[in-house]
Amino acid sequence: MFSIILGKYIRLICFNIGWMERYDGTGRVISNFRYVRDNGTGEEVSNFVNRNGYCYGNVPVRYIEGKSVSLHLERLGASKKDMSVDDVTVVFFARHPERKVACVVGWYRNALVFRKEQQEFLDGQKVKYSAKARAEDCICLQEQERSFAIPSGHVVKGGYGQGTMWYADSDAPVIVALRKQLETYLLRY
C-alpha cells in the first residue's frame, strides 16, 4: 500500500529501535532488545550521525543460523531480485522508558533501504546499517517533541509486532488512518 501525498507516492517503513536522547553516538540505549541487554548498547546509537554527508540507519536485525533476516522490499515496491529500493521514508520509533508507549523519534526522507544488512568502515569504525540517506534529509526529534505514538498489534489490529520492522501497510481502517496522520506529521518538519 502506498499513500499519495501532494501527488507523490510515499514508500514507508518503520524501524523499532532502542530509546536514546540523541542517537549521535553518545549516551545510553534503553531497550529490552536482547542485543542491548547482552552488550549494554545497540547499533542504533549512531543512526543520526552525519558521516561524510550521510546518516546510516541501523535497526536491530534477527539472525537465523548466522544470517541476518532480509527486509521484504517487495512491500516497498521493489522486485524480489532487487537488493535495495530508493526514495523510501524510514521512520524510527522507540518505546518511551517512562510512558511505555512507542513514539516516533526521527526519520529519513528519500532513503535507500537494503534487503540485507550492510557493513562499511566509516571514520575508522565498522558501521552496520539497513538504510542510508543524505544528512539533510534526516530528522532526529528532541525528546520533548516525541509525541506521535505508534500502536502495537496488542492495541490495534495491524500495529507493529515483535519484529523490528513494520511496514504500516495493513488495510485495516485504523492503520490506514494512522498512516495518513503519520505522513501529515512528517510533512510538518
Side-chain angles (χ1 to χ4, degrees):
M1 175 178 99
F2 300 108
S3 298
I4 301 176
I5 299 281
L6 302 175
K8 180 180 177 187
Y9 286 99
I10 303 293
R11 299 178 206 219
L12 180 83
I13 188 169
C14 301
F15 288 171
N16 185 359
I17 61 175
W19 183 271
M20 292 191 74
E21 184 179 339
R22 292 188 300 271
Y23 302 93
D24 64 355
T26 64
R28 186 173 140 248
V29 179
I30 302 170
S31 172
N32 285 326
F33 291 124
R34 183 178 177 179
Y35 184 90
V36 173
R37 287 193 321 262
D38 291 349
N39 296 284
T41 190
E43 303 282 347
E44 64 265 46
V45 298
S46 300
N47 278 357
F48 290 92
V49 171
N50 181 340
R51 298 178 191 262
N52 301 321
Y54 287 88
C55 290
Y56 296 81
N58 185 281
V59 61
V61 175
R62 283 191 4 223
Y63 287 85
I64 298 174
E65 297 178 6
K67 294 185 179 183
S68 65
V69 174
S70 297
L71 274 71
H72 299 285
L73 299 184
E74 306 78 46
R75 293 175 75 174
L76 299 171
S79 77
K80 289 190 181 234
K81 294 178 183 178
D82 291 334
M83 295 309 290
S84 64
V85 62
D86 62 1
D87 199 27
V88 177
T89 298
V90 178
V91 174
F92 296 90
F93 69 98
R95 188 173 170 90
H96 190 286
E98 284 95 35
R99 295 186 6 229
K100 306 296 184 202
V101 173
C103 299
V104 172
V105 299
W107 58 89
Y108 296 176
R109 288 190 179 104
N110 307 310
L112 180 61
V113 176
F114 299 90
R115 185 176 299 282
K116 295 278 191 182
E117 184 177 68
Q118 305 293 298
Q119 294 185 32
E120 282 186 52
F121 278 92
L122 300 165
D123 302 327
Q125 294 180 317
K126 183 165 78 170
V127 176
K128 296 179 184 179
Y129 59 96
S130 296
K132 88 178 203 180
R134 296 193 59 73
E136 66 257 20
D137 288 334
C138 301
I139 305 285
C140 183
L141 298 173
Q142 299 294 317
E143 282 188 293
Q144 66 272 13
E145 297 176 302
R146 300 175 185 174
S147 60
F148 194 98
I150 302 289
S152 75
H154 296 291
V155 176
V156 170
K157 181 182 178 185
Y160 76 91
Q162 291 183 353
T164 56
M165 287 140 311
W166 181 54
Y167 298 87
D169 58 358
S170 167
D171 59 0
V174 68
I175 298 302
V176 171
L178 175 84
R179 185 179 165 118
K180 286 180 184 175
Q181 292 169 356
L182 176 58
E183 291 169 351
T184 300
Y185 176 78
L186 300 178
L187 289 172
R188 293 190 329 200
Y189 290 85

